[in-house]
Amino acid sequence: MAETDPLGKNWKLWGGVLAFIAAVVIVGLMFFPRTTPQPEANPTDPAPSVPVESASAPSSPSASASKPATGDCPALSTDNSFPNEAPASEWKRHPAGMLLPVNADHGPAKMDGDFWRCFSHTPTGAVLAGFTLVIDFSAGGEIDAAVESMNRQRLFEEQGSSTSNENFPPMLGFRVMNSSDDSAIVEYLSKTGEQYAAMSVNLAWSDKDHDWRLDLASSPPTWGEVSDPSSYTEFK
């Protein structure tokens, strides 16, 4: 089907998850435009326009924790078990406007303005990192949310100073497509009307930062129609 540009901007490679048309498979490279920062809401208050329930996060990190060799990220969980269930999370509002899951064991452990980072070196850490880093890079305008590549620089420059005041659709679930010590592919489920769609995000582990980063060189995020949402794990 034809490529769509739900944001109505002058660049088509990167759209947003702000709106996508029911029954249309969204193809191409998609990201949010950089948004005009809005006053940050109370992080524990859910936004009326984003119907996501809050869940209590664990009070302290796991006893089994990694020691970061480099970077400034703290030690986090080393539990490499496959995430068959969503981690219990507290939903906090990113300055760009999106509610994102935060878990004491898996991150993000640091929420420095628009750059929410420091995730555990585990499959669960990758799940929490993927969508958050998309928000960091695009809506937050944080280029360091992605590993260095020519594609990263080009995409960052293309999104430029585009602005949008629309609400982001919530991520309802996830599915880990691939996971290893140095990379991961995670899909994130969303819905508009009666239509489900998923965004696929490639991640790479950065030894320098001791953290997950977007891998835009391998494959920038893409959207596709979902016919079976039950194959995704629901966020708590």
Side-chain angles (χ1 to χ4, degrees):
M1 293 186 179
E3 181 176 294
T4 62
D5 183 5
L7 297 179
K9 302 300 179 184
N10 59 2
W11 46 277
K12 295 183 179 179
L13 290 179
W14 292 73
V17 297
L18 310 180
F20 42 86
I21 302 174
V24 175
V25 178
I26 304 178
V27 295
L29 311 179
M30 303 182 66
F31 248 151
F32 308 119
R34 187 177 304 172
T35 59
T36 302
Q38 301 294 324
E40 184 173 354
N42 188 324
T44 60
D45 293 338
S49 60
V50 186
V52 182
E53 294 182 357
S54 293
S56 297
S59 59
S60 61
S62 169
S64 175
S66 60
K67 294 293 184 181
T70 58
D72 61 350
C73 290
L76 294 171
S77 174
T78 57
D79 181 3
N80 279 304
S81 59
F82 191 85
N84 291 312
E85 296 183 358
S89 303
E90 180 181 356
W91 290 81
K92 296 189 176 183
R93 186 170 298 284
H94 190 279
M98 186 69 186
L99 281 173
L100 300 173
V102 177
N103 178 274
D105 290 338
H106 297 282
K110 292 201 171 185
M111 291 168 276
D112 305 329
D114 288 309
F115 197 5
W116 289 21
R117 58 193 177 88
C118 293
F119 299 89
S120 67
H121 193 185
T122 67
T124 300
V127 167
L128 291 168
F131 188 61
T132 297
L133 292 172
V134 168
I135 297 291
D136 288 345
F137 183 91
S138 54
E142 295 289 343
I143 194 171
D144 289 333
V147 294
E148 292 185 19
S149 69
M150 293 180 62
N151 209 30
R152 177 187 80 160
Q153 187 64 34
R154 178 179 62 82
L155 293 167
F156 191 77
E157 291 174 354
E158 282 181 359
Q159 72 183 20
S161 59
S162 298
T163 60
S164 174
N165 293 320
E166 297 183 62
N167 293 320
F168 303 137
M171 292 295 105
L172 306 178
F174 67 89
R175 182 168 65 179
V176 178
M177 304 303 294
N178 184 38
S179 177
S180 68
D181 193 54
D182 58 3
S183 65
I185 302 175
V186 184
E187 290 186 354
Y188 298 92
L189 181 70
S190 189
K191 182 182 182 182
T192 293
E194 297 302 314
Q195 180 60 53
Y196 288 93
M199 177 177 64
S200 179
V201 178
N202 280 31
L203 296 159
W205 179 256
S206 170
D207 289 326
K208 177 175 70 73
D209 300 308
H210 199 74
D211 200 5
W212 290 105
R213 292 290 184 265
L214 296 177
D215 182 2
L216 305 182
S218 174
S219 176
T222 56
W223 280 96
E225 185 182 59
V226 173
S227 57
D228 182 16
S230 66
S231 63
Y232 291 80
T233 300
E234 184 178 357
F235 277 119
K236 293 182 179 180

